[in-house]
Amino acid sequence: MESLRDQLAGAEALPQLTLLGLLTGIIAGAVIVLFRWAVELPLGYFLPDSFENFEAISSLMHFALPVTGAIVLGLVLQLVDKRHHATSIGHVMDRLQNHQGRMPLGNVVTQFFGGAACLLTGQSVGREGPAVHLGAGSGSLLGQWLKLPANSLRPLAGCGVAAAIAACFNTPMAGVIFAMEVVILEYTIAGFIPVTLAAVAGATMTRLAFGPEIAFINAQSVMGDLRELPLMGLVGLVVAVFAAAYIRLHGASCRWALHRPIALRFALAGLFTGICALWIPQIMGVGYDTISSALAGEIGFALLLAIAITKLLATALSLGMGMPGGVVGPLLFIGACVGGAVGSAAQLLMPGSASAIGFYVILGMGAMMGATLNAPLAAMMAILELTYNPNIIFPSMLVVIAACLTTRWVFRCDGLFQQVLRIQGKFRSAEAMEQLLSRTGVRGAMDRHLVVSDSRISLHAAQQLLARHPHWILLRDNNQLLQPADLHTYLQTRADHQPTDEHQEEINLQEIPARRYDLVRIAADANLFEALELMNRQQLDALWVESLSDSHQPLGIISRRTIDNYYRI
């Protein structure tokens, strides 16, 4: 294990990271399967025909179920430490940006049971946000359990995200793009390979449990006429209005909820969802059955718009209040309804030649996801894999880009997660130096040529120290660092002027003429950026790296000069 940790601390540990990515994908895929079973099996038993068929229950249950579920969940979480309340994709991005990928177990547990409770009680949330958190947590916790260096936790969390999306949607390629475009926020070859293998493992796990399901296989239509391109561009513009409205409303809810008790927040969110569900029960739960109905053209124009607006309001309020649910599923739902409404209008404007309404539904789904999350590539890849329809690629490029540009440049909205993290005071853009130094652990760059000595030693012991040709001498008494060249110069000068018995004569290494470095410890699993931050805070030029198994055993020295040279190279 020590050898593995040393290898992973370097920037070129691709084989080892690839194997760990595969293991992360298997674990994350298994966790997502368990999460889906925890939701789908009870709902399949209590709901008629399908685990998504909330519309079939009574009006009283449409109101009572989300209200009661939200109140109970809020009261339970009120008893949980506040540090463990943060969940979903925003929390994952915060831990990757600000905590070097270290994810707490408590938040993962809250996400599993809280997310399942939200979906079981018909809250207007999705399952993909919890899946991303659980997947990232699987990778991060595996790395922490193995005591791997911090620079490997971030890519392992990314592997978990890709596996989770692949397991949730059965879309491995979209999982890879989503992990790198939305969560990790960078593309590297070293990161791409482990993440890809993890996504394959996640998709394999979900296919073993649920079969080779394709969510919207019936959307196998082609674009009817090139004259439809303006109408398809219109889908992007209309979706941008909904995306901007969602981002603004979600942000406003989050800002209001910052310092409010969680029980109060959840009760209000559940009450609003219950009231909306009295008139529009389609907003309850994941809602893929409603998307399928929209694809088949079974929902009229007015109802589609009503469902889209109501779903937007209920989801933005619920998730903005901190409900431990996901946003990706609701965005696909809203986009499907908006796209279906424009498709219905296209049928009236171009009867006989317009594309099927289901074609517009798929375009709206991709546009809403891409514009709201600022993830156009992940959105296009997702709708391709969700439909297995290559005819969707050409028009989807136009629609998704139109929606993203309009949301960014006309409505001046950032991506949803960046907006939420800014409101919470957790967002910051990593500089190039931080990104580079975070990829290497201290044990991959530290100087291991170190000897430990007491401050008072005999001349003979001092000569024996120098005979080992160390680069550094660590004074155990006061955590100071001495350079051997200074000790060598002192012994030379002393021998020239004052010959003595080297076995009897004692010297104090704290008093000889030399430059000394004050030191503090840093854990062996830290990365170079954490080391540089600690040096800057403590105003030091060097740190000694402590062993994970013995905190009093130094493994090596990491100096400011070493980090500067590494960055320049």
Side-chain angles (χ1 to χ4, degrees), residues 527-569:
N527 59 39
L528 291 184
F529 181 71
E530 291 176 301
L532 183 60
E533 278 196 317
L534 181 57
M535 288 181 196
N536 291 337
R537 285 199 306 270
Q538 301 285 346
Q539 296 184 342
L540 300 173
D541 289 321
L543 307 169
W544 68 276
V545 182
E546 64 180 13
S547 169
L548 294 173
S549 57
D550 182 1
S551 60
H552 298 290
Q553 178 62 37
L555 295 179
I557 297 296
I558 188 76
S559 66
R560 187 182 296 273
R561 179 181 296 176
T562 299
I563 296 177
D564 289 343
N565 290 339
Y566 176 86
Y567 179 67
R568 289 193 185 98
I569 293 172

Side-chain angles (χ1 to χ4, degrees), residues 35 85 94 130 138 147 170 188 193 236 243 258 298 322 332 338 346 357 370 459 488 492 511 555-556:
F35 180 74
H85 289 176
D94 170 41
S138 299
K147 297 182 179 179
N170 196 16
T188 61
I193 294 175
L258 276 179
E298 298 172 357
L332 295 176
V338 174
I357 293 177
L459 286 176
H488 182 269
Q492 285 275 49
E511 295 178 354
L555 295 179

Side-chain angles (χ1 to χ4, degrees), residues 108-132:
V108 175
V109 174
T110 298
Q111 179 65 91
F112 188 98
F113 292 102
C118 284
L119 293 169
L120 287 168
T121 56
Q123 307 299 331
S124 183
V125 298
R127 69 187 182 197
E128 298 76 20
V132 168

Side-chain angles (χ1 to χ4, degrees), residues 508-519:
N508 188 344
L509 296 181
Q510 295 186 43
E511 295 178 354
I512 67 172
R515 180 183 178 184
R516 296 173 183 82
Y517 298 85
D518 291 326
L519 292 175

Side-chain angles (χ1 to χ4, degrees), residues 281-324:
Q282 290 89 343
I283 68 167
M284 298 179 69
V286 176
Y288 286 166
D289 56 338
T290 303
I291 294 178
S292 297
S293 298
L295 281 167
E298 298 172 357
I299 306 177
F301 175 86
L303 183 56
L304 283 170
L305 281 183
I307 293 173
I309 294 170
T310 308
K311 184 72 172 180
L312 185 151
L313 295 173
T315 305
L317 187 66
S318 298
L319 296 181
M321 293 288 189
M323 282 272 189

Side-chain angles (χ1 to χ4, degrees), residues 215-228:
F216 308 116
I217 190 67
N218 60 337
Q220 297 295 310
S221 58
V222 298
M223 190 172 72
D225 195 316
L226 284 176
R227 290 175 296 175
E228 282 186 275

Side-chain angles (χ1 to χ4, degrees), residues 173-390:
M173 196 63 221
V176 172
I177 303 301
F178 185 91
M180 305 193 80
E181 185 177 37
V182 178
V183 180
I184 303 178
L185 297 177
E186 64 180 16
Y187 289 91
T188 61
I189 295 298
F192 184 82
I193 294 175
V195 165
T196 301
L197 195 56
V200 171
T204 302
M205 295 298 292
T206 197
R207 291 187 184 193
L208 288 173
F210 303 102
E213 55 181 11
I214 302 172
F216 308 116
I217 190 67
N218 60 337
Q220 297 295 310
S221 58
V222 298
M223 190 172 72
D225 195 316
L226 284 176
R227 290 175 296 175
E228 282 186 275
L229 285 178
L231 285 175
M232 292 183 174
L234 179 63
V235 173
L237 299 180
V238 175
V239 164
V241 175
F242 279 79
Y246 183 88
I247 294 170
R248 295 277 171 81
L249 184 57
H250 188 125
S253 301
C254 181
R255 191 176 290 107
W256 181 88
L258 276 179
H259 305 294
R260 301 298 198 287
I262 193 168
L264 172 63
R265 292 187 270 128
F266 281 22
L268 290 175
L271 179 62
F272 185 81
T273 300
I275 293 172
C276 292
L278 285 173
W279 285 274
I280 310 288
Q282 290 89 343
I283 68 167
M284 298 179 69
V286 176
Y288 286 166
D289 56 338
T290 303
I291 294 178
S292 297
S293 298
L295 281 167
E298 298 172 357
I299 306 177
F301 175 86
L303 183 56
L304 283 170
L305 281 183
I307 293 173
I309 294 170
T310 308
K311 184 72 172 180
L312 185 151
L313 295 173
T315 305
L317 187 66
S318 298
L319 296 181
M321 293 288 189
M323 282 272 189
V327 70
V328 178
L331 293 179
L332 295 176
F333 183 105
I334 296 167
C337 293
V338 174
V342 178
S344 298
Q347 292 290 330
L348 296 176
L349 294 172
M350 302 177 64
S353 61
S355 302
I357 293 177
F359 202 74
Y360 283 87
V361 168
I362 295 296
L363 293 176
M365 292 168 62
M368 188 68 186
M369 175 183 168
T372 308
L373 303 184
N374 196 21
L377 187 57
M380 287 186 281
M381 189 58 64
I383 62 174
L384 174 62
E385 288 190 290
L386 284 171
T387 61
Y388 273 41
N389 182 3

